[in-house]
Every structure is written in C-alpha cells, then in structure tokens.
Amino acid sequence: MRLLRPLAGTPNRLALSLTVLYVLCGYGSVLLARLAAGPLPVLDFAAGAGLICLLLGGRRGYLSVWLGSVIVQLPQLAMMLELQPALLLAGLLALVSTAEAHLARIGWRNSEMRIRHPLLREPRELAHFWLHVAMLPPLLTQPVQLLLLNLAGLGGERGFLETGWYLLMLVLGHASGLFLLGPCYAGWRDRGRWPRLLSLPWWWIAAFIAVLASAFLVYRHTLMLVLPLLLVLAIQYGLPGTGLAMVLLAVASVTATARGLGIFAGGMPGLSYLNLQVFLFSTGFMLHYLALAQSLLLRHRMRLEAEVIARTEALTASNAKLAELATIDALTGVRNRREWLRRATEQLLQARRYPAPMSVLVLDLDHFKLINDQHGHHAGDLALIAACDACTASLRASDSFGRWGGEEFAVLLPATSEEESRRVAEKLRQAVAAICISLDTGAVVRITASIGMASLRDDDHDLERLIRRADDALYRAKRGGRDCVVCDSGEA
Ligand SMILES: Nc1nc2c(ncn2[C@@H]2O[C@H](COP(=O)(O)OP(=O)(O)OP(=O)(O)O)[C@@H](O)[C@H]2O)c(=O)[nH]1
C-alpha cells in the first residue's frame, strides 16, 4: 500500500497499480476457494480490493476493478466455455463486481463522517457502517452473479436448498473480503502509525505464529489465545495492526480448515466455513471498534494537548504583557512609580548591607503647564517622551529612572558618590535643556528641568526620608530660578 503513494501523481500508473492489486487479491481468493472442497468462495479478498481501488483511484478505480475482474475470471471461464462467450460472461461478471465495489464505496463515504466523530459515541455506528459497506453490496450483487453463472450453464447441478446455501457462502465470502481489507485501507490512511508497526517487537509476531501453529497443529482450543494478542495489537498499533493481523488470522484459518485442521474443521464443509466467518466477524468487529476508539481517543488527546499548549503560550504572553503594564509607564515606556520604588528599596537594602554610596535625584520639567497650554496636550506628551529618552540615554544601565507622576521623574544612582551624582544630575539637566521638538504646526518647543539631589546618609533610615530630602532640594531649585541642580545641602 505504501508503494502506491508515490504513484498517486501519475494517474495511469496508479490505475495500473490498482489493477495489479485487484488481480493479486483475486487470484489469492481463487486459491483459497480451491482449497475448500466445492470450491467454496470462503474469503473473497477481491471484493475488498475493489473497494480500495475505488477509494484510492476515484473514477480510474472503476476501470481497474472491471479490468482486474476480467483478468481473474477469464482463465477460469475459458476452461469451461468458448472464448467469445467466456469473454462476454467475464465482462458481465466484472460489471457485477464493479457494481459491488461501487455500492461499498457509497456505504463507506456515507458512513465515514459518523465514524470519525472524536469519541465514536455508540458501537451501533460501527455496525451500521459494516452493514452498508460489507453486507448490503454483496447481498444486492451476488444473486445477479449467480444468476449469470446459471444462465451460462455454469451453475452446477445444485438443488434449490443447495443454491441458497451456495449463495449464502458467496455473500459471506464477499462480505468477509470487504470486512477484512476495509480496515487495512483505513489503517493505511492512518499511516502515521506504520513506522510504529514496523518496530513491532519480534516476540509479538512469534507469539502470534506460535498460537496459530498450536491451534491448528497441536490443540485446537488454544486458538482463543489469539484474542489477548489481538487485543494488545489493537491498543498498541490501532487499525493497521488489527487489519493485518485479521487478514493473517483469516488466511491461516481458512487454509487450516480446508486441510481439516483446527477448531472449525470437521462436519459439513460449508458449515465449518460459516462458523469460521462468524468467529472472524465477531473478533474483527470487537477489535476494529477498539482500535478505532483508541485512535480517535488518541487524536482527541493530541488535539487537546495542542490546545493546552496554545492556551498556555497565550497565557504566558498575556502574563508578560500584564507584568509589563504593571511596571511600565504607558506614555513614556520608563518604569512607573511603583516599580521604581520597588527597585529603589532593593538598592537601599543592598547599599546598607554592603556599604556603598547612593543618590536619589528628583527631576521636574519647568513650566510644563505652559507647553500644554500653548501647544496642546500632544506637544506636552512629546516633550515628556523626549525628556525620558534624553535622560535614559545619559544614565548607566545600573541606574534606575522612573516616572514619579505628571512631569516629575525620579532617578536612583547606586554605587555613586555625592560628587559623581552631582555630575550625573548636571548631565541630565543639560540633556533636557538640549531637547528641541519641532511640531507639525511649525512651532518649536524647548524644555528645561530642575533637579533636586540627595545622597544617602547614615541617618536616612528609609527611602522615604532620602526622597523627601531630594524633594526639598528640588523645591529650592524651583525657587532658585529653575533649570538648575540643587543638593540637599543647599548648594546649587
Ligand atoms: N501632556 C501631558 N501633560 C501632563 C501629563 N502629566 C501631567 N501633565 C501636566 O503637567 C502640568 C504640571 O503643571 P505644574 O504642576 O503647574 O508644573 P509646571 O507647569 O511644570 O510648573 P513648575 O513645576 O513650577 O515649573 C499640568 O498642566 C499637568 O496637566 C502628561 O502625561 N501629559
């Protein structure tokens, strides 16, 4: 099946490959039928192959099924009829096979959506599926096939009851073919699991073969031991696993029964195969339901996990956004008052624990109200942003710059002596004084700042006291004419 994938792009090669698949399955079924006395059509894999051809090949699949069916039937018919009637009959029988595949395909397509539901709500959905895919198509087409054979004089010397029995075997044989190969196709579509299937531990295969060998050669009742093995396959490997295992089990059982071995052998040959089909159908139905439910659950779980990952990522992103909003001033992008205070408190503790100089500056833009009044609030906002940019560009990464409120800012200079802090304050004053904002109106806005400074002293028990001293110095700077730096000592 994997081999068919690369051929999907070349329609003629795909049609050819599907015909080959049909013919192989058809000859396989003929061989199995010949094993059974009669010969009895016990497992018609060609019916399942027909369905796969139509599902994979679409319109081209019809030609593959018809042609494949002619190739399989013609040699047998040619042995009993002249070439011309044999050709005609093979063509007609192939039409019946194509119709059967078509009906199965309709059943498959119609029920597929119900089956794909994440939790396969009711087992009856699967029963409905198989009724429309595996039972109804042969039930509607096989009587026609038998009628054609009888009209051609190939019906044999069967009485009414015998004909009914043969028809039942024919219908069940085709239903089994559809029932066994359908899951293989579904498993192929679920081919993500194939690599896992290839890594099937050898002892599973050995155990499977050992149970079959023991059931058909040693003690027939050990066949029941395949049930737990199949159960594990269904859980571990889903439909690809159960599909393949069921085909193996079916072929082995039919071969053994035909040779008089195993639990189904003995009694009327037809009855043995009927019992075998009942076993295969009930086992397969249970396993397919389990495998399907398992893979649907897995898909559902993967979808849920992907959803959880996506939501966690969204939550992390919105948490980061929230954290940013809680610490950053929306207009200027610098730290807000709360964040500045948090950092300043930390730095103060640090400076007390490992004694180091430290200063606080309080910077206030001068006559800011005038800018708002003369040029509008937007110009005021631009001035605030420009002042922040200028100040942060003049500071070290270890310094903390934050918006205290309105047009007032606070600066923390850790590990900086009083003299150095004075120089930094002067640098900030000059940086603000150098700002020149050209407005759309053509007006030019210039700003200046007054700065109050306080350096940490032994009697500064808390941050509040240090800030208050810097604030007092700022007040003196304003009183002293603005656009200047004043230290809490009172010097300008
Ligand atoms: N555009 C703008 N203006 C603001 C913002 N926050 C505060 N202001 C304004 O800043 C002005 C501050 O005015 P005042 O407290 O009188 O101070 P000032 O005009 O700078 O005077 P001095 O500080 O004495 O030099 C007020 O008009 C506030 O409305 C803001 O985010 N954007």
Side-chain angles (χ1 to χ4, degrees), residues 22 60 150 173 319 361 378 381 446:
Y22 189 94
R60 257 167 239 271
N150 279 332
N319 277 347
L361 313 179
H378 178 62
D381 284 352
R446 288 187 169 281

Side-chain angles (χ1 to χ4, degrees), residues 50-86:
L51 170 66
I52 294 178
C53 287
L54 296 198
L55 290 173
L56 274 175
R59 246 183 270 153
R60 257 167 239 271
Y62 286 94
L63 185 65
S64 300
V65 176
W66 185 82
L67 196 64
S69 178
V70 170
I71 296 172
V72 173
Q73 312 240 30
L74 191 59
Q76 301 172 68
L77 296 173
M79 283 194 277
M80 297 178 272
L81 299 170
E82 297 287 316
L83 186 63
Q84 234 174 355

Side-chain angles (χ1 to χ4, degrees), residues 34 62 78 187 195 205 216 246 270 282 284 307 320 328 339 347 377 402 430 449 465 475 492:
R34 281 198 189 141
Y62 286 94
I205 304 170
F216 295 129
M246 284 304 297
S282 45
E307 216 168 285
I328 300 289
E339 176 63 6
Q347 300 282 5
H377 212 261
Q430 285 175 13
R465 189 179 156 89
Y475 179 72

Side-chain angles (χ1 to χ4, degrees), residues 78-407:
M79 283 194 277
M80 297 178 272
L81 299 170
E82 297 287 316
L83 186 63
Q84 234 174 355
L87 263 173
L88 181 69
L89 187 59
L92 288 174
L93 291 176
L95 272 183
V96 176
S97 303
T98 315
E100 182 186 60
H102 175 68
L103 290 173
R105 179 189 185 225
I106 292 175
W108 185 287
R109 287 266 182 256
N110 286 346
S111 320
E112 199 177 30
M113 291 319 290
R114 301 157 64 115
I115 294 289
R116 276 204 196 161
H117 188 273
L119 278 174
L120 195 66
R121 282 165 301 190
E122 293 173 47
R124 117 181 119 87
E125 288 179 356
L126 199 62
H128 175 274
F129 180 80
W130 284 124
L131 180 72
H132 284 81
V133 174
M135 278 313 291
L136 285 182
L139 213 59
L140 292 173
T141 53
Q142 290 318 299
V144 181
Q145 167 147 348
L146 197 58
L147 186 70
L148 283 173
L149 286 170
N150 279 332
L151 286 177
L154 302 177
E157 298 293 306
R158 295 189 189 100
F160 183 73
L161 271 179
E162 266 181 297
T163 307
W165 179 251
Y166 184 76
L167 181 61
L168 178 69
M169 293 309 293
L170 205 59
V171 169
L172 288 179
H174 281 242
S176 300
L178 286 158
F179 179 73
L180 288 170
L181 288 200
C184 291
Y185 167 75
W188 176 74
R189 254 189 350 187
D190 193 14
R191 48 193 172 279
R193 278 179 171 234
W194 281 98
R196 235 184 128 193
L197 194 67
L198 292 177
S199 66
L200 191 75
W202 63 269
W203 46 269
W204 277 117
I205 304 170
F208 196 70
I209 294 173
V211 167
L212 290 186
S214 129
F216 295 129
L217 300 174
V218 184
Y219 182 56
R220 53 174 61 188
H221 295 286
T222 49
L223 185 65
M224 294 307 151
L225 288 177
V226 291
L227 294 179
L229 285 176
L230 288 170
L231 184 73
V232 175
L233 276 176
I235 294 169
Q236 287 267 312
Y237 303 99
L239 272 183
T242 51
L244 271 181
M246 284 304 297
V247 169
L248 276 179
L249 178 64
V251 172
S253 306
V254 171
T255 314
T257 309
R259 301 208 176 285
L261 302 168
I263 202 166
F264 305 107
M268 265 174 71
L271 205 58
S272 320
Y273 294 118
L274 187 67
N275 293 340
L276 167 60
Q277 267 154 345
V278 170
F279 169 74
L280 287 178
F281 180 76
S282 45
T283 312
F285 185 87
M286 250 168 39
L287 288 173
H288 296 333
Y289 178 75
L290 192 74
L292 201 61
Q294 178 83 0
S295 74
L296 291 173
L297 271 174
L298 196 74
R299 216 177 301 161
H300 195 56
R301 202 186 77 190
M302 276 158 63
R303 202 177 309 146
L304 279 179
E305 277 173 6
E307 216 168 285
V308 168
I309 290 172
R311 289 198 181 183
T312 310
E313 276 170 5
L315 199 68
T316 312
S318 62
N319 277 347
K321 186 80 200 153
L322 267 178
E324 190 185 301
L325 286 176
T327 55
I328 300 289
D329 175 59
L331 176 69
T332 58
V334 299
R335 289 187 182 87
N336 63 17
R337 182 176 181 147
R338 188 158 42 124
E339 176 63 6
W340 185 89
L341 272 170
R342 191 190 63 77
R343 273 196 57 130
T345 311
E346 266 177 25
Q347 300 282 5
L348 181 69
L349 287 173
Q350 196 81 350
R352 287 274 181 242
R353 177 71 183 81
Y354 307 102
M358 179 177 129
S359 297
V360 164
L361 313 179
V362 180
L363 182 152
D364 189 281
L365 301 184
D366 300 327
H367 299 306
F368 194 70
K369 189 171 181 312
L370 276 181
I371 298 176
N372 274 338
D373 293 348
Q374 286 175 1
H375 304 288
H377 212 261
H378 178 62
D381 284 352
L382 290 179
L384 286 170
I385 294 168
C388 286
D389 288 348
C391 290
T392 45
S394 308
L395 291 167
R396 291 181 193 150
S398 53
D399 301 333
S400 294
F401 183 87
R403 188 173 180 191
W404 194 250
E407 83 300 12

